[in-house]
Amino acid sequence: MLENDRTQPELAPAGAIQNRRGMDSEGWFEYLVRVYPHHTDYSGAVWHGTYLAWMEEARVESLRSLGIQYADWVAQGLELPVVELSLRYHRAVQMGQSVAVRTRIAATEGVRLLWDYEIRSADTQELYVTAQVTLVGVDRDKKKIIRQLPPALKEALTRLSVKPSA
């Protein structure tokens, strides 16, 4: 980006996901990503697996914004693996673009956590990807699904859950 070019939003120097606006009134937590060559296939379009990595980073960062470090959960023996994934590609993101990765907790069903995702243009006008991921809590040592989420995780998820106004 040229020094005087202000058409692209400011991003972290490494192009890593960063918080742009925090959580909005509908519960979306938004981060920006700059697309680099290593994110793309031979045609310059973002490789399909890259979207998944961005979504996971956004989910972990949304928790971090509440003071929840995913590494702390792992250290305490709790994993949150993906058990279901639904992804729809609406259009390809191209090398050099900046996109907004939006995530929100959609619902909790027992120990199942449903997260929604959107990947949009940086101005949020163009929709590129929509997705939903289901996670479950697993005791890492016992390698079994836990029956209840730890209270601190439940409380953090409650803070992330914002019901859209009707």
Side-chain angles (χ1 to χ4, degrees), residues 59-81 113 115 135-141 146 148-160:
R59 183 177 67 243
V60 169
E61 288 298 312
S62 69
L63 289 170
R64 188 179 70 79
S65 75
L66 297 172
I68 305 295
Q69 299 292 333
Y70 190 83
D72 293 344
W73 295 110
V74 173
Q76 294 171 25
L78 174 67
E79 291 282 353
L80 294 171
L113 310 173
W115 290 78
L135 309 170
V136 295
V138 171
D139 182 311
R140 191 177 61 195
D141 295 331
I146 60 175
Q148 282 190 62
L149 294 174
L153 180 56
K154 274 186 178 176
E155 190 270 328
L157 295 173
T158 299
R159 287 187 283 160
L160 276 176

Side-chain angles (χ1 to χ4, degrees), residues 111-125:
V111 295
R112 298 170 65 83
L113 310 173
L114 283 68
W115 290 78
D116 288 333
Y117 296 89
E118 293 181 344
I119 298 177
R120 293 182 167 271
S121 56
D123 65 6
T124 70
Q125 299 304 303

Side-chain angles (χ1 to χ4, degrees), residues 40-89:
T40 66
D41 62 17
Y42 63 91
S43 73
V46 170
W47 176 68
H48 67 276
T50 301
Y51 298 109
L52 299 174
W54 290 344
M55 290 170 11
E56 183 154 347
E57 290 175 20
R59 183 177 67 243
V60 169
E61 288 298 312
S62 69
L63 289 170
R64 188 179 70 79
S65 75
L66 297 172
I68 305 295
Q69 299 292 333
Y70 190 83
D72 293 344
W73 295 110
V74 173
Q76 294 171 25
L78 174 67
E79 291 282 353
L80 294 171
V82 172
V83 295
E84 190 172 347
L85 168 67
S86 172
L87 191 77
R88 173 137 192 226
Y89 301 99

